[in-house]
Amino acid sequence: MRSLSTVVVAALMVAACSGADSRDQLVVATASSLAEAFAQMEAEFEAAYPDIDVALNVAGSSLLREQILSGAPIDVFASADLEDMDRVVEAGLAEAPTIFATNRMAVAVAANNPGGVEDIGDLASEGLLVGTCEPQVPCGRLADELLERAGVTASVDTQEPNVRALTTKLSLGELDAAIVYLSDVHNVSLGNVSIPESQNPIVAYPIAVVLETARPDDAQAFVDFVLTEGGRIMLAYGFGGA
Amino acid sequence: MNDRRFVKSPWWIVLLSTFGAAVFIVPLVGLLVRAPWSNLVSLLSGAFVLDALRVSLLASVLATVIAAVLGVPLAWMLARVEFPGRSVLRAFVLLPLVLPPVVGGAALLFALGRRGIIGEPIYEATGLVLPFSLTGVVLAATFVAMPFLVITVEGALRNLDPRYESAAASLGASPARILGRVTLPMIAPSLVAGLALTWARAFGEFGATVTFAGNLAGRTQTLPLAVFVALESDRDAAIAISLMMVTISLAVLLALRQRWWRSL
């Protein structure tokens, strides 16, 4: 019994001391709206670089920013807005981010448009179930900007923590309309209502290597891939060019 | 009689139990160290926190009441009545205890959402939408917290000596009278402990709430949701709210310690 306990404790101590970075994956923090496009990015990158195993950490950009600022082991940051990336740069954890894609907003509706939404002004109707992202994430801030430019006070019923949760509930028919990205309409097969271009904010997506990465060369290779081959993939997934 | 002196305990037990204690203590110390003590009061008295507190208190108390009204009879059936499928039913009742709350929330959405198997007929008939409202928050909280009440009360009923109830029956008391004057008073300690646990679980619920009821400040944004949201934009507020929740929960647990803890 004594020898067993000694072995157990010794094993625990070895495991604890074997280095916090013993994972062999390249962790890419990916904003929710980039999920599908970056899954493709991951597949093509791994085909081109068989020695590198990419892992996507998908969440709202603000949550990813907090994780990076708290020292999470993240190698690359692809953000859905400039503000979250700027905070990371200010903290000295990234430098010279590059815009690799753009996007616009959309007023999406469930298939067959059960709520009968015709234009953005309908979002003010109390009888419709309308969703946006919470104002702390880029999608939410952009939704507010769109509504302000269009002069509409929407009757919002939920502000989801990330755009994926929003598109899921919309697809399920639990919401009548939601303000999401134009790329989401393309990727999740939703209907959408047209918005005047002048009112529609432009979204810029920056990407950068996180300076505390244990694998700077691999991280830079991924960023370079996104900036070259990645352009084609982003367009295929409904984004605009850089 | 079995209490060992500390110095005579095996070293490896002391070491492992120290790590075990650290699992619980270190995170709380982390909160205390990072707390914004200087403006704690102003952070906690803002509308953001007060709205979330109101939603959380309202929903958790309502959920506890529903859990008691439906849970005590259910516990009674599970403890006292032999019926086919009883063990299967008990497994279903225990399910929310092991199910990830988000899965619970998704299940509620598929069942009670506007296009859910039960939610759709309700919506067509009455126009009532269950998610995205306080009702949704209460439903989510009830789903995850009610098992605590049922299991605690069922255990207490099983351990109850049936002679007291038989004696009351032989003296001519009706079943309702027996329940009210003999059974419930005798299981009171367990019932209170069960209610406290149920309330605490309902108060802290997050995954099922955000998935089923959504998130809207003042209507469905509970305290845990407020912490999650604040974590991304105002970390000081997040820590302040977390401290408040830890304090409230600790207070409830410590209050239980004196009289009811033994019966858990």
Side-chain angles (χ1 to χ4, degrees), chain A residues 66 158-159 169 173-174, chain B residues 114-115 211 215 229 232 235:
Chain A
E66 283 303 314
T158 179
Q159 297 181 309
K169 291 194 182 178
E174 296 298 332
Chain B
R114 212 171 51 154
R115 299 263 286 268
T211 309
N215 171 45
V229 160
E232 300 163 9
R235 207 189 296 187

Side-chain angles (χ1 to χ4, degrees), chain B residues 81-200:
Chain B
V81 180
E82 301 253 359
F83 57 89
R86 178 165 71 161
S87 46
V88 173
L89 180 61
R90 191 181 292 117
F92 272 105
V93 169
L94 286 177
L95 204 55
L97 286 179
V98 292
L99 212 58
V102 172
V103 174
L108 284 173
L109 203 57
F110 292 128
L112 301 174
R114 212 171 51 154
R115 299 263 286 268
I117 48 176
I118 299 185
E120 187 161 18
I122 294 180
Y123 177 66
E124 311 270 275
T126 65
L128 189 65
V129 176
L130 293 169
F132 312 125
S133 63
L134 184 67
T135 313
V137 182
V138 174
L139 284 171
T142 309
F143 180 74
V144 299
M146 195 160 125
F148 285 94
L149 189 78
V150 176
I151 292 314
T152 314
V153 171
E154 191 201 336
L157 286 173
R158 279 180 184 279
N159 289 334
L160 201 55
D161 191 332
R163 287 181 296 174
Y164 293 98
E165 288 166 322
S166 313
S170 67
L171 288 171
S174 65
R177 195 125 188 249
I178 298 176
L179 189 70
R181 300 290 289 259
V182 179
T183 317
L184 285 182
M186 290 195 75
I187 63 165
S190 291
L191 183 58
V192 172
L195 286 171
L197 273 179
T198 304
W199 175 84

Side-chain angles (χ1 to χ4, degrees), chain B residues 22 27 32 34 48 63-64 85 88 106 126 153 155 168-169 206 225 242 255 258-259:
Chain B
L32 287 170
R34 287 288 168 90
F48 176 66
T64 309
V88 173
T126 65
V153 171
F206 172 75
L225 230 53
S242 304
Q258 298 287 33
R259 297 177 72 187

Side-chain angles (χ1 to χ4, degrees), chain A residues 1-2 5-6 8-9 12-13 62-63 65-66 69-70 87 110-111 114 127 129 134 136-137 155-161 169 171-176, chain B residues 10-12 15-16 48 109-110 112-116 123 129 131-132 206 209-217 219-221 228-233 235:
Chain A
M1 192 56 202
R2 286 230 115 149
S5 58
T6 316
V8 166
V9 173
L12 284 171
M13 294 177 80
S62 332
L63 189 57
R65 177 242 307 155
E66 283 303 314
L69 293 178
S70 302
R87 298 267 289 268
L129 287 177
E134 64 182 36
Q136 284 79 4
V137 292
S155 156
V156 177
D157 295 282
T158 179
Q159 297 181 309
E160 298 291 326
K169 291 194 182 178
S171 305
L172 286 175
E174 296 298 332
L175 291 173
D176 290 312
Chain B
W11 67 272
W12 53 275
L15 184 67
L16 286 174
F48 176 66
L109 203 57
F110 292 128
L112 301 174
R114 212 171 51 154
R115 299 263 286 268
Y123 177 66
V129 176
F132 312 125
F206 172 75
T209 312
V210 70
T211 309
F212 180 61
N215 171 45
L216 195 67
R219 200 199 297 177
T220 56
Q221 187 174 77
F228 186 65
V229 160
L231 213 52
E232 300 163 9
S233 57
R235 207 189 296 187

Side-chain angles (χ1 to χ4, degrees), chain B residues 5-31:
Chain B
R5 302 298 307 279
F6 181 75
V7 288
K8 284 194 181 161
S9 303
W11 67 272
W12 53 275
I13 284 192
V14 174
L15 184 67
L16 286 174
S17 58
T18 308
F19 281 120
V23 167
F24 299 101
I25 298 175
V26 170
L28 289 184
V29 170
L31 261 186

